[in-house]
Amino acid sequence: MKRITLKDLSEFLSLSTSTVSRALLNDKNISPATREKVLEAAEKMGYRPNAAALNLKYRKSGNIGFVVPEMITPFSSKVLQGIQEILYPLGYQVIITQSDEDPVLERKNLNVLEQFNVDGIILDPCHETYNEEVYTKIMERGTPMVFFDRIPGKSTHASKVVVNDYISSSLVVEHLISTGRKRIAHIRGPETIRNAGERAGGYERILKKYRLSDRDLTVQTTGMSFADGKNAVKMLLEKRIPFDGIFAFSDTLAIGAMNHLLSLGIKIPDEVSIASFSGTELATIVHPQLTTVEQPLIKMGNTAAELILEKINDASSAIRTVVLDSRLIYRDSTVTGH
């Protein structure tokens, strides 16, 4: 069956295509009688608008870009769930891209999303500064952006959704000390990620408070994988740096370290306590289960979606930074018999 076009509809009604088009779009300059006549004919003839053509004409795609470092762990998928809860009922679709912690690939993904004429982009950047200029140019060209979790440098003026990494990290280290740990190592996230510095800052503040500081206890990683966590704890062992606790930047780094210690017969938490940051389901599917800072990931997604809608609906709306509360969940990796 032949697809009914706008031209077919206009010929049937003896109206111009522009009049029919505006009537279908509920243009206030079209009389109610004409609008009703057009809608009745469209229904009768089975007319369906060409979404791609309308999107091109009115510069709206109904799509939102979602750019994240990885979709392997539950972190990004939980945030995505929160985004979809807000956007899907409004008719938006989400285009998902993954940078694999590579800022060059992130830049390519952003270019592709611009080519798709997305209405906005929600981004968890993999590098604090590498693509700052790109973010700014995208926004100057009219595509709003919202950042969550990790955020770019201070020169990028956009709305953000974060948790207080500094305070939450302080609470984790306080907890480890309260269980009797005095040699707490920190597996630090990559230097290119701003909240790696925030979490390290919270760790360092508490160690100074209790006069337990030792620079040798901080291990700098260049990646976020299980292997990076394993390599970090191997480095401590090979250098014969004594430690009885570990605070890791992420669940993946903590699990990598923990699995290596367990393979060597080191008991957790009896000999080494381990705590992490992120709070995904990964923390509960390992043995022992991980004590972790649990971030409100679905709420983070909800908030990011609300912020991008604010900018889509009103480009002059205020730039906002929303700080969400996180909570420390105690589990068997730090508390025996918990």
Side-chain angles (χ1 to χ4, degrees):
M1 183 177 175
K2 177 180 175 289
R3 180 186 177 93
I4 301 298
T5 67
L6 193 66
K7 185 179 179 182
D8 294 330
L9 198 56
S10 67
E11 288 177 353
F12 176 79
L13 291 165
S14 299
L15 295 170
S16 69
T17 54
S18 63
T19 298
V20 173
S21 176
R22 284 185 291 156
L24 291 169
L25 290 168
N26 204 24
D27 189 308
K28 64 182 180 181
N29 294 315
I30 300 297
S31 71
T34 300
R35 186 181 305 119
E36 185 176 348
K37 180 180 176 183
V38 170
L39 292 174
E40 283 180 2
E43 181 67 26
K44 180 179 178 181
M45 297 177 69
Y47 170 76
R48 294 291 177 268
N50 185 326
L54 286 172
N55 291 339
L56 187 63
K57 182 175 180 179
Y58 294 99
R59 300 186 62 80
K60 293 291 182 183
S61 67
N63 294 321
I64 302 294
F66 182 61
V67 186
V68 291
E70 53 82 24
M71 287 293 291
I72 299 168
T73 69
F75 184 93
S76 296
S77 61
K78 282 290 185 184
V79 175
L80 176 62
Q81 181 182 336
I83 290 169
Q84 291 173 332
E85 283 180 358
I86 301 298
L87 296 182
Y88 276 14
L90 300 176
Y92 286 94
Q93 299 297 316
V94 181
I95 301 176
I96 304 164
T97 67
Q98 178 176 294
S99 67
D100 292 325
E101 299 286 358
D102 179 353
V104 175
L105 181 54
E106 177 185 281
R107 180 176 293 190
K108 290 179 181 177
N109 289 337
L110 290 168
N111 289 336
V112 168
L113 290 171
E114 268 205 294
Q115 290 169 17
F116 273 98
N117 192 35
V118 294
D119 299 335
I121 297 172
I122 298 172
L123 172 65
D124 188 5
C126 63
H127 194 290
E128 182 180 349
T129 59
Y130 191 93
N131 285 323
E132 272 194 286
E133 187 178 342
V134 177
Y135 307 150
T136 299
K137 286 182 178 178
I138 287 172
M139 289 185 284
E140 286 174 350
R141 288 192 289 263
T143 303
M145 298 185 74
V146 168
F147 297 86
F148 72 94
D149 182 38
R150 310 173 187 179
I151 57 175
K154 293 179 181 178
S155 68
T156 302
H157 300 292
S159 292
K160 306 170 183 74
V161 190
V162 294
V163 299
N164 195 316
D165 292 278
Y166 186 82
I167 291 175
S168 297
S169 298
S170 299
L171 293 174
V172 173
V173 182
E174 286 263 20
H175 164 65
L176 288 169
I177 291 171
S178 75
T179 64
R181 308 298 158 168
K182 298 184 183 301
R183 298 280 302 170
I184 302 167
H186 178 42
I187 302 178
R188 179 175 170 146
E191 289 184 325
T192 54
I193 300 172
R194 181 189 287 192
N195 53 1
E198 294 286 324
R199 294 176 195 178
Y203 160 83
E204 290 160 5
R205 181 178 77 89
I206 299 302
L207 288 196
K208 284 178 183 176
K209 174 182 173 182
Y210 290 93
R211 298 181 181 177
L212 298 173
S213 298
D214 184 344
R215 288 184 180 180
D216 290 341
L217 286 168
T218 295
V219 183
Q220 178 67 61
T221 64
T222 56
M224 298 278 291
S225 68
F226 298 119
D228 290 305
K230 175 183 176 179
N231 291 335
V233 80
K234 279 179 71 176
M235 189 180 302
L236 289 170
L237 294 168
E238 287 167 2
K239 289 184 176 180
R240 299 187 181 279
I241 298 169
F243 61 94
D244 56 12
I246 293 174
F247 166 50
F249 174 77
S250 69
D251 291 346
T252 49
L253 292 172
I255 292 168
M258 184 169 73
N259 286 345
H260 183 64
L261 292 174
L262 290 171
S263 73
L264 298 175
I266 295 171
K267 295 177 181 177
I268 297 171
D270 297 348
E271 295 176 78
V272 177
S273 288
I274 300 181
S276 67
F277 210 111
S278 286
T280 67
E281 288 95 330
L282 288 178
T284 62
I285 62 174
V286 292
H287 182 76
Q289 293 188 358
L290 271 174
T291 290
T292 186
V293 173
E294 187 173 276
Q295 300 177 86
L297 301 180
I298 292 177
K299 187 175 181 181
M300 187 177 281
N302 290 160
T303 308
E306 289 163 357
L307 289 174
I308 203 71
L309 287 172
E310 283 182 11
K311 276 294 180 183
I312 290 170
N313 294 329
D314 179 6
S316 64
S317 63
I319 290 169
R320 298 198 288 137
T321 296
V322 179
V323 182
L324 302 177
D325 292 329
S326 54
R327 58 180 185 151
L328 179 56
I329 307 295
Y330 305 103
R331 297 193 182 96
D332 291 344
S333 68
T334 62
V335 184
T336 307
H338 184 259

